[in-house]
């Protein structure tokens, strides 16, 4: 059996979509309810009452966008922890491991299912909740309505706005994105390594590592001033890339070692 066959992978993805469709539906409904409640809270509870002329309605919508963005970023960052949530029971593991496909195809299929499709469920929930809050606004105060998504402005740079340093904002932004991706890949590794309570154990591990890293950085302040911020950002970016590569490689290696009966807490 070849390591990757596009036709076989297509059939595997078809099986995955059918097998997990109830998960996708429940997840989408959950996001709709969550975003809808956030939008109502931001519009009607945060700030002055709707209709107050000194506080335009667009500000209410912008509050909703900010709250929803924060929740969405955190949720999407933690998604990889659940990459193998379909392997909690032995029978589920038997059904998955006996599929006529290679480990690489199964790994990619689960990655697409959890990282890509779950993200689409989140975006669909956001749009649907935005439409619902607009309908509520039309009923309650038709003179002031609008969509939260109308406040999205890709032309502005929300990252590092107003920071005056001797380094380009592009390099800062690139370092930030690589740091987020490295954390994302670390959660993927944790979701593959831990068998039970994957989210809690992975987050706890990341917190402990952050404390250790912060302790090490505190002893390098003088070094940062000496070499300059550009060099520090290059080092951070390089470390982030190494973490990303290692996390994906280790995640796949751990997945290949998974058995139907593994350790109670870890997938070894």
């Amino acid at each position: 059996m070849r390591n990757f066959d596009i036709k076989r992978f297509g059939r595997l993805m078809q099986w995955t979509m059918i097998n997990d469709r109830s998960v996708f539906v429940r997840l989408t409904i959950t996001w709709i309810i969550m975003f809808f409640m956030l939008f109502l809270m931001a519009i009607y509870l945060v700030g002055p009452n709707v209709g107050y002329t000194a506080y335009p309605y667009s500000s209410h919508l912008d509050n909703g966008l900010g709250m929803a963005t924060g929740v969405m970023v955190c949720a999407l960052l933690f998604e990889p922890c659940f990459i193998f949530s379909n392997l909690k029971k032995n029978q589920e593991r038997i059904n998955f491991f006996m599929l006529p496909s290679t480990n690489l195809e199964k790994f990619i299929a689960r990655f697409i299912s959890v990282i890509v499709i779950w993200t689409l469920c989140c975006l669909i929930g956001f749009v649907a909740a935005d439409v619902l809050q607009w309908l509520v606004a039309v009923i309650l105060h038709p003179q002031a309505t609008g969509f939260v998504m109308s406040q999205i402005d890709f032309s502005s740079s929300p990252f590092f706005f107003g920071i005056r340093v001797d380094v380009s904002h592009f390099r800062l932004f690139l370092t930030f994105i690589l740091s987020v991706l490295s954390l994302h890949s670390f959660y993927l590794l944790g979701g593959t390594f831990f068998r039970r309570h994957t989210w809690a154990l992975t987050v706890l591990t990341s917190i402990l590592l952050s404390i250790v890293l912060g302790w090490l950085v505190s002893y390098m302040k003088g070094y940062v001033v000496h070499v300059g911020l550009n060099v520090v950002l290059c080092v951070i970016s390089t470390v982030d890339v190494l973490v990303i590569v290692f996390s994906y490689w280790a995640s796949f290696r751990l997945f290949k070692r998974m058995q139907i009966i593994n350790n109670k807490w870890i997938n070894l």
Side-chain angles (χ1 to χ4, degrees):
M1 182 182 293
R2 288 186 296 175
N3 200 31
F4 188 87
D5 183 85
I6 189 64
K7 292 183 178 180
R8 188 173 59 233
F9 177 72
R11 291 192 292 269
L12 176 62
M13 282 303 306
Q14 183 179 11
W15 177 90
T16 301
M17 294 294 294
I18 295 174
N19 189 67
D20 292 350
R21 58 187 175 185
S22 60
V23 176
F24 301 148
V25 172
R26 290 197 304 269
L27 191 60
T28 303
I29 294 175
T30 301
W31 277 120
I32 292 174
I33 296 174
M34 182 179 300
F35 282 132
F36 182 60
M37 298 302 295
L38 282 176
F39 293 155
L40 294 183
M41 183 185 304
I43 294 173
Y44 299 104
L45 296 181
V46 178
N49 294 331
V50 175
Y52 185 62
T53 55
Y55 196 76
Y57 190 72
S58 60
S59 298
H60 293 280
L61 298 176
D62 193 57
N63 289 337
L65 178 62
M67 295 172 64
T69 300
V71 172
M72 188 183 302
V73 169
C74 292
L76 299 184
L77 190 63
F78 296 144
E79 272 182 353
C81 295
F82 305 97
I83 186 170
F84 294 115
S85 58
N86 63 324
L87 303 179
K88 291 182 178 180
K89 300 179 181 179
N90 286 341
Q91 187 58 49
E92 294 176 338
R93 301 171 79 89
I94 293 174
N95 295 338
F96 185 72
F97 289 140
M98 290 187 65
L99 290 172
S101 57
T102 62
N103 288 327
L104 178 61
E105 292 166 352
K106 294 173 184 176
F107 185 84
I108 296 176
R110 285 303 302 172
F111 184 89
I112 293 176
S113 176
V114 174
I115 307 302
V116 178
I117 300 180
W118 283 25
T119 300
L120 290 177
C121 292
C122 178
L123 296 176
I124 293 172
F126 176 87
V127 174
D130 198 9
V131 173
L132 289 177
Q133 71 80 21
W134 175 80
L135 292 175
V136 171
V138 170
I139 296 173
L140 297 181
H141 40 82
Q143 75 283 359
T145 63
F147 291 100
V148 173
M149 67 184 79
S150 66
Q151 302 304 306
I152 300 176
D153 185 7
F154 293 104
S155 62
S156 61
S157 177
F159 302 102
F160 319 111
F161 181 77
I163 295 180
R164 297 181 179 276
V165 291
D166 188 23
V167 65
S168 68
H169 281 192
F170 172 77
R171 182 167 296 179
L172 284 170
F173 182 75
L174 178 62
T175 304
F176 173 79
I177 293 298
L178 288 175
S179 298
V180 171
L181 291 178
S182 66
L183 186 59
H184 188 271
S185 66
F186 178 80
Y187 285 135
L188 175 69
L189 178 59
T192 309
F193 179 75
F194 295 111
R195 182 175 182 180
R196 300 182 61 184
H197 309 297
T198 54
W199 182 86
L201 292 176
T202 304
V203 171
L204 178 61
T205 304
S206 66
I207 292 175
L208 294 176
L209 290 177
S210 299
I211 294 175
V212 174
L213 183 61
W215 177 75
L216 292 175
V217 170
S218 64
Y219 287 93
M220 300 177 63
K221 293 181 180 179
Y223 177 77
V224 172
V225 175
H226 178 71
V227 301
L229 186 57
N230 284 304
V231 176
V232 173
L233 291 178
C234 290
V235 172
I236 294 175
S237 299
T238 303
V239 172
D240 287 335
V241 171
L242 293 176
V243 170
I244 293 171
V245 173
F246 172 78
S247 296
Y248 276 90
W249 173 81
S251 297
F252 181 62
R253 295 289 296 181
L254 286 171
F255 173 69
K256 290 173 62 176
R257 293 174 61 88
M258 285 188 189
Q259 304 294 328
I260 295 175
I261 299 177
N262 276 338
N263 185 278
K264 184 179 181 180
W265 291 95
I266 61 177
N267 283 311
L268 289 176

